[in-house]
Amino acid sequence: MSMKQATANKYRPFPVVDISDRTWPSKTITKAPIWSSSDLRDGNQSLIEPMDAEKKMKFFKTLVDIGLKEIEVAFPSASQTDFDFVRHLIEENHIPDDVSIQVLTQAREDLIRRTFESLRGVKKAIVHFYVAVSPSFRNIVFKQDKAAMIATAVKSAKLFAELAAEQPETDWTFEFSPETFSMAELPFSVEICNAVLDVWKPTPQKKAILNLPATVECSTPNVYADQIEWFGRHVNHRDSVIISLHCHNDRGTGIAATELGLLAGADRVEGCLFGNGERTGNVDLVTLALNMYTQGVDPKLDFSDIDSVRHVVEECNQLSVHPRHPYVGDLVHTAFSGSHQDAIRKGFALQKDKEYWEVPYLPIDPSDIGRSYDAVIRVNSQSGKGGITYLLEQDYGISLPRRMQIEFSQIVQKETDRLGLEMTSKQIYDLLDREYLQIKEPVQLIKHRLQEENGESTVRLEVNVGGKTEHWHGVGKGALEAAVSAIPTNVEIMDYNEHAIGVGSTANAAAYIEIRMDGGRSLHGIGIHENITMASFQALFSALNRAMQLANKKVF
């Protein structure tokens, strides 16, 4: 079944803003906005099971630790629970001196009075009221004209001023939202906001907040940015006003709308951690902040331990953060694709010599937000040699030569196809151990004796061949060449590499050899031993046994 063309006709395209000389497209975000968390109010009211006081307090402390200086804590006139939480914060001195708590109220006298009562004794507070201004709310919900809506807003603004004057010990900030701003006529939004400002008379030293919500996201982000720029040009007392954004995510573009709104002149952002909120959620403060961080802008928020923040949010909201959520999801720094893994591995290898972060597929250094590199590369049936190589290097110090990477990746691919599952680095190492290090049939090296004289090496090998002990003798320019000459069949060395694993007296040597036996297919072997000569001999016999098994050759 598909959506019928005729059905789409009941929707109308959103009108654009007449602003031909817009300036925001050529601007760049160069500093952090004022941040305001609405997790404890907007976020909380959207939960299936709202937070209790204990969870709210845990969440509040986390927001303080992150560095939020403005935290919306409750809708105190809406419930006794919210009222009591505000009182608990104040009476138990949980609010740092540099933090303003914010509360919300509807534009009704009894609710406004109850709200101010909840704040008695607080040092700093933002008191916020709203009036819905869009045509659909005026005509459908309230059945009032524009004049009536303005009258309501002015009456509430006057009551704010009166009640604040009764508590002069508190540092008050007033906030007004023309709710549903995103769906309203811009001239009317400016008109009602100017009417409120005429009552409050803000100054550059004592600013008022005008919050312009995308209560319902109903246009592309560029139109919202145009709305913000147009509003900023026409509102009175612009130097005494903080323009705040409060974007929801109905179209899935809340982040973009907020970023463009900041380019268009906004000063402040309200949102929730990881995008919780009504319907599709409020804008995600974490993503916004880290987007700025990856552009070299200090967001003034601390997400250096992002996993602990996520755990608190998940516990308090009882909602899981999606594994693909930007920056914080369990899989967002993980590559399964072979080509991605190879690019990331090469980027890490070169990063130590670079001034700026530049690793393919990783827009942020995971360690900057407290994430380890352990899960950056994970191996499944889609993975390639780069990922396998990276895990062996990081966890076991084993650096496979390029052609051996190709050979071993085929073995791993076969195993992941068989299992149908992801493989851990330990499983990959165990497979390497089984296929290369522990392969001792049909020929097993028992012991050797090496003599070097006048630049010539002589080696005597005691081996077990098919259950029988044999002694082989060879001469060459080096120990490995001598050992090859001792083998009673044609073996040609195609490549040889070695390196140390670890440092100091406990270091081992790793040797990798590629041989071709009797003109057949070239195969690799590995040896790991504290003695480099022994490691190279182990690698030789590892490759020899693999070649003999492939050729189904039991004895010489």
Side-chain angles (χ1 to χ4, degrees), residues 107-316:
R108 280 174 40 190
E109 181 176 350
D110 58 329
L111 301 182
I112 293 173
R113 290 186 180 278
R114 177 75 168 163
T115 299
F116 272 86
E117 181 61 30
S118 74
L119 292 169
R120 189 167 296 279
V122 71
K123 293 178 181 178
K124 298 172 65 176
I126 300 169
V127 195
H128 178 193
F129 84 98
Y130 62 94
V131 173
V133 296
S134 65
S136 59
F137 273 76
R138 297 197 309 264
N139 301 329
I140 298 173
V141 181
F142 301 115
K143 301 186 184 305
Q144 291 183 336
D145 60 15
K146 293 178 181 179
M149 306 301 283
I150 292 174
T152 298
V154 168
K155 181 180 179 181
S156 298
K158 288 179 178 179
L159 185 56
F160 264 47
E162 293 171 10
L163 295 176
E166 296 174 3
Q167 301 183 50
E169 70 280 3
T170 296
D171 181 5
W172 298 103
T173 298
F174 297 155
E175 178 175 350
F176 172 65
S177 287
E179 194 196 9
T180 65
F181 167 83
S182 55
M183 301 183 293
E185 311 96 326
L186 282 169
F188 180 55
S189 294
V190 168
E191 184 180 3
I192 194 170
C193 286
N194 282 339
V196 170
L197 294 177
D198 287 343
V199 174
W200 286 344
K201 296 180 171 55
T203 67
Q205 293 72 38
K206 189 65 175 176
K207 296 184 178 183
I209 300 171
L210 294 179
N211 190 51
L212 308 179
T215 306
V216 178
E217 189 179 35
C218 51
S219 69
T220 51
N222 61 299
V223 174
Y224 182 67
D226 283 345
Q227 291 174 322
I228 300 301
E229 182 161 344
W230 195 97
F231 182 93
R233 293 183 184 186
H234 293 85
V235 72
N236 295 338
H237 312 288
R238 180 63 185 94
D239 63 345
S240 303
V241 168
I242 295 170
I243 292 182
S244 178
L245 307 177
H246 184 114
C247 290
H248 284 256
N249 202 41
D250 301 87
R251 291 171 56 92
T253 56
I255 292 288
T258 303
E259 290 179 330
L260 298 190
L262 290 172
L263 295 178
D267 311 293
R268 181 177 183 266
V269 172
E270 294 186 351
C272 292
L273 302 186
F274 310 122
N276 182 40
E278 297 283 5
R279 305 183 312 280
T280 55
N282 294 283
V283 74
D284 175 8
L285 296 185
V286 180
T287 300
L288 276 170
L290 292 178
N291 281 355
M292 294 179 192
Y293 182 75
T294 61
Q295 301 301 303
V297 176
D298 181 1
K300 307 298 184 183
L301 296 177
D302 183 4
F303 293 112
S304 58
D305 188 4
I306 200 168
D307 284 331
S308 67
V309 175
R310 184 191 68 184
H311 292 155
V312 169
V313 174
E314 288 182 325
E315 176 189 347
C316 294

Side-chain angles (χ1 to χ4, degrees), residues 361-413:
Y361 296 111
L362 293 179
I364 193 171
D365 183 347
S367 67
D368 286 345
I369 51 177
R371 306 291 290 268
S372 72
Y373 295 128
D374 294 345
V376 168
I377 288 178
R378 291 161 62 175
V379 172
N380 64 11
S381 60
Q382 303 300 309
S383 305
K385 64 183 186 305
I388 296 162
T389 302
Y390 175 86
L391 292 178
L392 290 175
E393 287 176 350
Q394 293 296 308
D395 295 345
Y396 297 96
I398 294 173
S399 183
L400 303 181
R402 178 171 174 76
R403 284 201 295 273
M404 188 174 181
Q405 293 174 25
I406 297 171
E407 179 184 285
F408 184 54
S409 69
Q410 294 170 347
I411 295 172
V412 174
Q413 182 86 35

Side-chain angles (χ1 to χ4, degrees), residues 399 401 480 495-501 508-513 527 532-533 535-536:
S399 183
L480 187 58
D495 189 35
Y496 176 80
N497 294 272
E498 62 185 46
H499 67 79
I501 300 177
N508 282 329
Y512 310 91
I513 194 169
I532 184 58
T533 299
S536 65

